[in-house]
């Protein structure tokens, strides 16, 4: 009997969604600041879904509660980046008979690098729960599909080592943004200035129109989604030379908190995704910077006018295009799927009427 799963379910059925959401520090929920609820004006877009959960089987007792395990059936096991949590919630909301409280247990994304590892190694995604059913999802079922930022070189190398080819499809737009403290008089950087700061050539805010303050340039750890984007979109092969070891932050919420910290004031600089700072972890002391004079507004992101426009991807293993994973990925980029992406608050790939 899986004692850890039984204990988790017993805990889950006794707590409110916000507490449950904050309890899983190992995954994406630990990096989200606000409770995620149905968006205003929410509507049911999917009327006939082919994606359903499997059978429920009793696995034991947790106190006086009978506990069950649910198979994934024709619904994929989904993992992914922190920024994909609202999307994964909306997909489950549209296809499955789950309550809003259940979504906090069912949607468990392990963050970018772990998600790639789970998909490539054909490993399961932790133990998602369905609290109102007193059930855990099949803990042996490997991840079928991930919703993530682009892969790092290390993740691509792991795929080659494991003999796995990745199939990825862009599912929405976002912007990779630079952030600083709201008290910083600088409201924008050029692409070249951003590169020179993080390569160590520019070290003081006065060199980019600010005060005479040393720049505290925060970065993320290797293989995090934002660090991979920084290397691919901004640095493009340039070595990092403008950061100190204690400025490397192990989580996205940690970086945002450092930038917004009162003691750092206008000296701080960091980077993240616009969706993350706008929706998942807003910070009243942090502002985003224009790049080359272009704000990261939706129309500039979609058109490519903003220099660091990017995408989130649905990724599956090659050879599984006709299975559950491939079918669900095709649905994600369909008209119906893109309407769900838009309802979850993202910028869809399609122009929707």
């Amino acid at each position: 009997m899986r004692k850890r799963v039984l204990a988790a379910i017993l805990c889950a059925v006794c707590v409110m969604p916000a507490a449950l959401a904050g309890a899983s520090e190992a995954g994406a929920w630990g990096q989200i600041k606000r409770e995620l609820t149905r968006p205003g004006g929410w509507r049911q877009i999917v009327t006939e879904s082919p994606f359903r959960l499997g059978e429920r089987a009793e696995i034991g007792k947790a106190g006086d509660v009978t506990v069950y395990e649910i198979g994934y059936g024709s619904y994929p096991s989904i993992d992914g980046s922190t920024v994909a949590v609202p999307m994964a919630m909306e997909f489950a909301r549209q296809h499955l008979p789950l309550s809003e409280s259940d979504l906090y247990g069912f949607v468990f994304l392990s963050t970018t690098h772990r998600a790639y590892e789970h998909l490539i190694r054909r490993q399961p995604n932790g133990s998602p729960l369905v609290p109102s059913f007193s059930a855990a999802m099949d803990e042996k079922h490997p991840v079928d599909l991930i919703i993530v930022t682009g892969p790092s070189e290390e993740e691509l190398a792991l795929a080659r080592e494991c003999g796995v080819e990745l199939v990825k499809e862009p599912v929405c737009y976002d912007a990779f943004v630079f952030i600083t403290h709201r008290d910083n008089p600088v409201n924008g950087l050029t692409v070249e200035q951003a590169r020179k700061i993080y390569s160590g050539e520019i070290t003081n805010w006065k060199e980019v129109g600010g005060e005479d303050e040393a720049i505290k340039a925060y970065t993320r750890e290797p293989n995090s989604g934002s660090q991979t984007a920084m290397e691919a979109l901004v640095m493009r092969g340039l070595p990092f030379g403008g950061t100190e070891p204690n400025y490397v932050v192990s989580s996205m919420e940690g970086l945002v908190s450092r930038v917004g910290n009162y003691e750092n004031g206008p000296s701080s600089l960091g980077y993240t995704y616009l969706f993350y700072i706008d929706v998942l972890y807003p910070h009243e002391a942090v502002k985003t910077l224009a790049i080359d004079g272009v704000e990261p507004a939706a129309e500039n992101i979609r058109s490519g006018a903003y220099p660091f426009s990017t995408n989130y991807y649905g990724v599956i293993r090659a050879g599984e295009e006709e299975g559950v994973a491939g079918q669900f990925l095709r649905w994600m980029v369909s008209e119906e799927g893109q309407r769900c992406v838009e309802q979850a608050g993202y910028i869809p790939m399609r122009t929707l009427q």
Side-chain angles (χ1 to χ4, degrees):
M1 187 180 296
R2 301 173 300 172
K3 294 181 179 179
R4 179 177 60 84
V5 174
L6 299 180
I9 293 174
L10 185 60
C11 175
V13 297
C14 298
V15 297
M16 295 297 288
L20 181 58
S24 186
E25 295 296 326
W29 283 116
Q31 299 187 48
I32 295 174
K33 189 177 183 179
R34 57 170 53 175
E35 186 171 337
L36 302 178
T37 56
R38 291 190 185 205
W42 182 89
R43 63 192 180 92
Q44 183 70 45
I45 296 169
V46 177
T47 54
E48 294 185 14
S49 173
F51 305 108
R52 300 179 178 85
L53 294 180
E55 298 297 319
R56 183 173 66 164
E58 182 178 332
I59 60 172
K61 294 279 188 179
D64 296 329
V65 178
T66 301
V67 179
Y68 301 88
E69 180 179 78
I70 300 177
Y72 278 92
S74 58
Y75 196 86
S77 171
I78 297 175
D79 202 348
S81 304
T82 300
V83 290
V85 168
M87 191 186 303
M89 292 181 75
E90 181 62 20
F91 292 165
R93 191 181 282 128
Q94 289 287 336
H95 290 284
L96 303 176
L98 300 179
S99 68
E100 289 296 302
S101 296
D102 282 337
L103 293 177
Y104 284 89
F106 180 76
V107 175
F108 182 88
L109 306 187
S110 62
T111 70
T112 307
H113 186 56
R114 289 191 182 96
Y116 271 108
E117 288 185 322
H118 291 160
L119 183 72
I120 292 167
R121 297 184 187 277
R122 292 181 169 83
Q123 295 172 337
N125 172 24
S127 297
L129 310 173
V130 185
S132 70
F133 294 176
S134 299
M137 298 305 299
D138 179 359
E139 68 172 0
K140 296 180 181 179
H141 187 100
V143 165
D144 296 301
L145 178 150
I146 58 177
I147 309 171
V148 284
T149 53
S152 68
E153 287 302 319
E154 184 175 325
E155 288 153 357
L156 291 172
L158 176 63
R160 290 192 295 270
E161 177 186 324
C162 294
V164 172
E165 181 182 348
L166 300 176
V167 176
K168 65 186 180 78
E169 187 79 35
V171 295
C172 71
Y173 290 102
D174 198 4
F176 182 75
V177 296
F178 286 88
I179 57 175
T180 188
H181 196 278
R182 66 182 179 190
D183 293 339
N184 191 334
V186 173
N187 291 315
L189 296 170
T190 66
V191 171
E192 192 64 22
Q193 286 170 340
R195 289 174 179 156
K196 287 183 176 181
I197 288 171
Y198 278 93
S199 65
E201 189 174 340
I202 293 177
T203 60
N204 195 294
W205 280 107
K206 69 180 180 182
E207 299 177 73
V208 293
E211 303 292 339
D212 186 7
E213 292 269 358
I215 299 173
K216 294 181 180 178
Y218 290 100
T219 68
R220 291 290 312 283
E221 78 281 11
N223 294 315
S224 64
S226 54
Q227 189 63 19
T228 298
M230 179 65 176
E231 294 167 3
L233 295 174
V234 184
M235 301 305 284
R236 295 188 176 184
L238 284 176
F240 283 79
T243 58
E244 299 179 17
N246 61 324
Y247 290 169
V248 179
V249 187
S250 62
S251 67
M252 201 178 293
E253 57 87 14
L255 185 144
V256 173
S257 296
R258 294 274 192 98
V259 170
N261 187 286
Y262 175 77
E263 293 180 359
N264 289 331
S267 64
S268 61
L269 179 69
Y271 43 79
T272 185
Y273 287 93
L274 184 65
F275 188 84
Y276 183 77
I277 195 69
D278 275 359
V279 177
L280 300 180
Y281 204 88
H283 196 301
E284 61 182 9
V286 170
K287 67 179 180 180
T288 59
L289 297 174
I291 300 295
D292 284 348
V294 181
E295 298 287 344
E299 62 271 19
N300 295 332
I301 295 168
R302 185 188 290 277
S303 70
Y306 179 75
F308 302 138
S309 297
T310 187
N311 302 102
Y312 303 149
Y313 300 90
V315 185
I316 65 173
R317 292 178 290 267
E320 301 181 7
E321 291 89 343
E322 300 308 313
V324 169
Q327 292 171 28
F328 199 86
L329 181 56
R330 284 195 294 277
W331 172 82
M332 288 168 62
V333 298
S334 70
E335 180 86 9
E336 187 177 72
Q338 288 288 285
R339 290 189 185 282
C340 295
V341 167
E342 182 181 50
Q343 181 160 264
Y346 302 83
I347 305 171
M349 299 301 297
R350 290 170 173 254
T351 300
L352 302 172
Q353 300 300 321

